[in-house]
Amino acid sequence: MDNYEKMSLDQMKQGIAKAGNCFYQYRPCQRNATTIYDIENIRHGVVFARTPLQMNDPFDSKIGFSVEIIYDECIDLALALIDDSIEQYIKTLIKELLKQRLIGETFNFINVLNKLKQYIIKKLSIAHILSINAKSYLLKNSTNLYNQCPSEIKNHLNKEEFIFLSLLVKDYKDVEIDDKTIIDAFNLEKMLDELENVIVKARDEIYLPFINDFLSKTTVTCFSASGWDNQLMWSHYANSYSGICVEYDFSKMDDFIGFVYPVKYSSKRPTIRLQDLGVKSFEYDENGELQLGEIDVNTSNVFSYLLSKNDCWRYEKEWRIINVEGEPYTPKFIETPFIKSITLGFNVDDVCKKLIWDVCQGKNIDCYQLEMNPLDYELTRNLLTSDSFVFEKKEEENYFNTISEHAVSASQKIIESSNLILKSIEKKDFKPQIMIDALTALLDFLSDVYYFKMSFNRYCNNIDATADDINSNEELCTSIKQLIDAINKFNITTKGIEESLLSLRITNMITNNQYYKAKQLIDNINELQEKHKDLLWFGQDVIEEQ
C-alpha cells in the first residue's frame, strides 16, 4: 500500500500537476438550503467536508469489513500461542470450531465433517486400505482425493484443511460426528473458551471501536479531474444540467489543507485487516490470561481504503481531500480560496443564476454559461458579462410573491407540527415523524426567507432605493419585521427540540435513524440561522427601529 501520510505538500502538488492542476465539483442548484450553502461556501472560499459515516453512497468511503477475514486473523494470532507439540491438524480443527462458533455456523461445519467422513471411509473401502495404513494412503493421495471430493466439501475446506480433517475423521467410521464429540475427544472446551474470549475482545475493544472512531474523526471532500464538460457528471451530480460546476485551481495551493489524493478504482472491494490496525500478536499477562499485544496503528494503510471505489465510477476521475483527527461526527469547512471559474448548466434556475453571478462579480471569478454545440454532442461554454444580466422589475416582484407564498405555507406547517408534537407528548403517544416534519418545514422556511432577503436587497439596489424609501413604506417594514420575529420564534422551537433530542433517544421514543436525521436537520437549521445573521436586510437599521 502507498505510504500516504509521508507525502509532503510538494509531492502532492506534483501529483496534482500531472492531473492538470484543476479539479471540479458538480453541484445541484435549486431554491433550497443546499444551494444557499453552496453559494455561501463559494463566497467564503471554502468547501464542505463530511465524515465518511455521513456519505449518501452506501459504499462510499465505507471501509470494507469481512467478519470471516477478521476472525481468521484473530484465530491465527491466538493459535500462535498454543503449544507447538499440538499436531497441526488439531490446530486446524480448533480454528474451524472457533470460526464456526463465532459466526454461528457450527451446524454447517459439523455437517461438512460428516460428509467428509463418509467420503473418506468410502475411498478407503474401495481401495481396500486397512486402518493401520489409512494415514499413509491419505497423505500420498491427498491431491486426487481433494480434487474428486464433492463440491459441498471443497467449497468449505481448502486443500490443507481437507488433508488434516481427513486424518481426523477416518477414525470415526461408526460414530456420528458432532461438535461435542470432537471437543470432548481432544479436551478442547477450556482452550476454545479462552481463545474465543480473546478474539471477541479484539473485535469489540480494537477493531470496531477503532474503525468507528477513525471514520468519525475523518472528513472527506470529493472533486473530479474530468473537466467542466463531463456530461455524466452534469447528469448525475448537477441536477441534470440545472446545477453548476465549480473549477478549483489547485496550483495555487500554498498551504496544507489536507491529504490530496486520487481515488483508485477496482472491481474488487478491499477489506481491512487486523495488521492495518496494528494488531500483531496476542500474549499472556502475569496472571496467565490471554490479552492483546502492543498495538501500532498504521493510519496510512487505512487511508488506502478511503480512496477505493468501484470501477463503474472511473469516469469521475475523482480526487479527495482527507483530513484526520477532527471532532467526532463533525463536518468541517476547508479553505479553498482558489476558485477559477463557475459554469452554469443550461437549465439553471434564473434566480440562482443571478445570485451566483453576484458572487462571481464580488470574488473576481469567471462565470460561464454552458451551451450545447448545434453540430455535435460536445459541450461549449461562453463567458458571461454584466450585459448578460438585465434587471426586470416585474420579474423580481413576481418572485417576491412566489417565495412569500411558499414561506407562509412552510410557517403554517411548522405551527401545525409544533402543536401536534405538544399534543402527542401530553397523550404520551409521541410521533417522531411529526418532529422530523416540523424541522424540515423550518429549514424550508429559513431557505425561503434567505432567498427573499437576497432578492429584496438586489431589487432595492437596482431601483436605487434609499433607507428613507424603506422607512416610508410602513407595510413593507412591518412584513420584514414579522419575518425577523418568526425566525427568532422558530429558533426557540429548534432549541427546544435539540435539548430534548438525547432524552428522546435514551428513552427509546425515537430510533437511532430518527435521532441522526433530526440532529442533521437541526445542524442545518443552526447553520442557516448564522447565515441569516450575516446577511443584513437593505435598510436594516431602519427596520430594527420600527
Side-chain angles (χ1 to χ4, degrees):
M1 295 184 181
D2 297 327
N3 200 341
Y4 293 101
E5 284 190 297
K6 291 186 178 179
M7 293 180 68
S8 67
L9 178 61
D10 286 339
Q11 287 174 316
M12 285 192 289
K13 290 188 71 172
Q14 289 172 16
I16 291 169
K18 289 180 180 179
N21 278 322
C22 290
F23 295 152
Y24 304 81
Q25 278 193 344
Y26 288 80
R27 303 291 299 160
C29 208
Q30 299 166 306
R31 299 184 191 183
N32 58 20
T34 300
T35 300
I36 291 175
Y37 301 150
D38 289 338
I39 291 174
E40 290 305 302
N41 290 346
I42 293 168
R43 189 190 306 277
H44 297 135
V46 297
V47 291
F48 183 68
R50 67 178 67 210
T51 70
L53 297 175
Q54 298 167 319
M55 293 290 193
N56 294 326
D57 182 349
F59 290 105
D60 200 353
S61 297
K62 301 297 189 298
I63 294 180
F65 166 63
S66 167
V67 173
E68 291 194 36
I69 289 176
I70 291 298
Y71 281 146
D72 272 344
E73 292 181 312
C74 283
I75 292 169
D76 286 339
L77 291 176
L79 287 174
L81 297 174
I82 295 179
D83 191 339
D84 289 338
S85 65
I86 297 179
E87 292 190 56
Q88 184 61 47
Y89 76 90
I90 298 297
K91 290 186 177 182
T92 300
L93 178 63
I94 293 172
K95 180 174 182 177
E96 283 299 321
L97 287 171
L98 276 172
K99 184 177 175 182
Q100 303 311 316
R101 180 187 283 193
L102 289 163
I103 64 176
E105 294 185 2
T106 302
F107 175 79
N108 291 338
F109 174 61
I110 295 301
N111 184 52
V112 169
L113 282 183
N114 280 295
K115 295 286 186 183
L116 177 62
K117 181 196 72 173
Q118 295 170 9
Y119 172 69
I120 293 301
I121 298 300
K122 180 179 179 180
K123 286 295 185 180
L124 291 174
S125 176
I126 293 173
H128 303 290
I129 302 298
L130 299 176
S131 296
I132 194 172
N133 298 321
K135 181 176 181 180
S136 176
Y137 172 81
L138 293 174
L139 291 174
K140 184 177 180 180
N141 297 280
S142 59
T143 299
N144 287 335
L145 289 171
Y146 181 71
N147 290 337
Q148 296 171 15
C149 76
S151 59
E152 58 187 315
I153 297 175
K154 193 181 299 183
N155 290 341
H156 194 91
L157 304 175
N158 61 36
K159 184 180 177 182
E160 182 183 20
E161 293 168 340
F162 172 85
I163 297 170
F164 292 140
L165 293 176
S166 294
L167 296 174
L168 171 67
V169 300
K170 68 179 177 56
D171 296 325
Y172 285 81
K173 181 176 180 180
D174 300 319
V175 178
E176 183 71 16
I177 299 173
D178 60 25
D179 56 332
K180 190 175 187 305
T181 302
I182 300 296
I183 292 170
D184 290 347
F186 295 95
N187 194 24
L188 299 175
E189 186 65 45
K190 182 179 179 181
M191 185 181 296
L192 286 172
D193 287 344
E194 188 179 49
L195 293 172
E196 182 179 4
N197 287 338
V198 76
I199 291 165
V200 170
K201 185 176 182 181
R203 178 197 67 193
D204 294 343
E205 296 185 11
I206 292 185
Y207 181 79
L208 295 178
F210 171 80
I211 292 297
N212 284 326
D213 182 65
F214 180 84
L215 292 182
S216 72
K217 295 178 180 178
T218 301
T219 59
V220 178
T221 304
C222 306
F223 299 85
S224 170
S226 65
W228 55 266
D229 56 352
N230 187 320
Q231 298 188 30
L232 288 176
M233 297 291 284
W234 277 106
S235 297
H236 294 168
Y237 294 100
N239 194 24
S240 297
Y241 293 89
S242 297
I244 62 175
C245 175
V246 185
E247 179 182 16
Y248 297 86
D249 186 356
F250 273 69
S251 67
K252 300 183 183 299
M253 182 182 70
D254 296 324
D255 298 317
F256 179 82
I257 60 173
F259 299 101
V260 187
Y261 309 124
V263 165
K264 293 185 177 181
Y265 299 95
S266 172
S267 58
K268 184 177 181 181
R269 188 181 181 195
T271 303
I272 197 167
R273 297 181 176 274
L274 280 176
Q275 63 185 16
D276 299 324
L277 307 183
V279 180
K280 299 178 180 178
S281 66
F282 295 152
E283 59 188 32
Y284 288 103
D285 63 15
E286 63 274 10
N287 298 318
E289 294 184 0
L290 277 174
Q291 63 179 11
L292 305 170
E294 185 178 349
I295 302 170
D296 182 20
V297 177
N298 188 337
T299 309
S300 178
N301 284 356
V302 183
F303 268 30
S304 67
Y305 296 100
L306 295 175
L307 293 165
S308 299
K309 206 167 182 180
N310 195 327
D311 243 343
C312 66
W313 301 104
R314 188 178 292 274
Y315 72 89
E316 293 181 346
K317 298 182 180 179
E318 185 174 341
W319 282 65
R320 291 181 171 179
I321 300 177
I322 300 176
N323 280 279
V324 296
E325 297 303 323
E327 290 295 319
Y329 302 100
T330 304
K332 66 187 300 183
F333 294 93
I334 300 171
E335 294 287 339
T336 49
F338 27 90
I339 298 177
K340 183 178 181 180
S341 74
I342 296 177
T343 302
L344 309 173
F346 39 73
N347 294 326
V348 70
D349 177 88
D350 285 340
V351 173
C352 293
K353 181 176 180 178
K354 293 174 183 176
L355 294 177
I356 293 168
W357 167 254
D358 288 342
V359 174
C360 289
Q361 287 291 93
K363 301 286 291 184
N364 196 29
I365 298 170
D366 287 339
C367 189
Y368 293 88
Q369 176 66 61
L370 194 69
E371 302 281 348
M372 286 188 287
N373 197 324
L375 300 178
D376 54 35
Y377 292 106
E378 299 299 317
L379 296 175
T380 57
R381 62 178 184 173
N382 294 321
L383 183 66
L384 296 175
T385 67
S386 56
D387 293 336
S388 306
F389 295 85
V390 179
F391 173 75
E392 295 182 7
K393 185 170 180 288
K394 188 65 177 177
E395 179 184 320
E396 205 77 52
E397 290 171 349
N398 289 336
Y399 176 63
F400 287 169
N401 293 331
T402 301
I403 205 68
S404 297
E405 291 172 2
H406 196 276
V408 169
S409 175
S411 65
Q412 289 173 344
K413 289 180 182 178
I414 297 169
I415 295 170
E416 292 170 3
S417 297
S418 299
N419 290 333
L420 288 173
I421 290 173
L422 293 174
K423 289 180 181 178
S424 67
I425 292 175
E426 290 174 1
K427 295 180 179 179
K428 298 183 179 179
D429 184 27
F430 182 72
K431 298 284 193 305
Q433 189 56 47
I434 299 175
M435 175 184 68
I436 301 295
D437 291 343
L439 293 172
T440 302
L442 179 50
L443 190 60
D444 287 342
F445 172 78
L446 290 173
S447 300
D448 288 338
V449 176
Y450 189 90
Y451 275 117
F452 182 91
K453 190 188 298 187
M454 291 204 63
S455 181
F456 172 77
N457 290 352
R458 183 174 58 250
Y459 180 87
C460 291
N461 285 322
N462 275 281
I463 65 171
D464 295 326
T466 65
D468 289 339
D469 294 329
I470 304 300
N471 187 34
S472 62
N473 191 328
E474 184 176 343
E475 182 180 356
L476 177 60
C477 286
T478 300
S479 297
I480 292 176
K481 197 165 190 329
Q482 287 174 344
L483 288 175
I484 295 173
D485 291 340
I487 290 174
N488 294 331
K489 177 182 177 181
F490 293 148
N491 186 35
I492 296 174
T493 301
T494 305
K495 289 187 181 301
I497 295 175
E498 185 174 14
E499 290 172 358
S500 63
L501 201 56
L502 184 58
S503 175
L504 290 171
R505 180 65 199 103
I506 292 174
T507 55
N508 290 320
M509 295 181 71
I510 58 175
T511 65
N512 266 338
N513 287 339
Q514 290 165 340
Y515 172 83
Y516 286 114
K517 174 66 175 176
K519 192 173 185 306
Q520 183 180 32
L521 285 168
I522 289 171
D523 288 344
N524 288 340
I525 288 169
N526 290 337
E527 185 181 341
L528 194 48
Q529 289 275 17
E530 291 301 315
K531 294 186 185 302
H532 269 283
K533 293 178 183 177
D534 293 338
L535 181 65
L536 301 180
W537 291 92
F538 185 93
Q540 178 81 51
D541 294 338
V542 175
I543 293 171
E544 289 182 344
E545 291 172 1
Q546 296 299 308

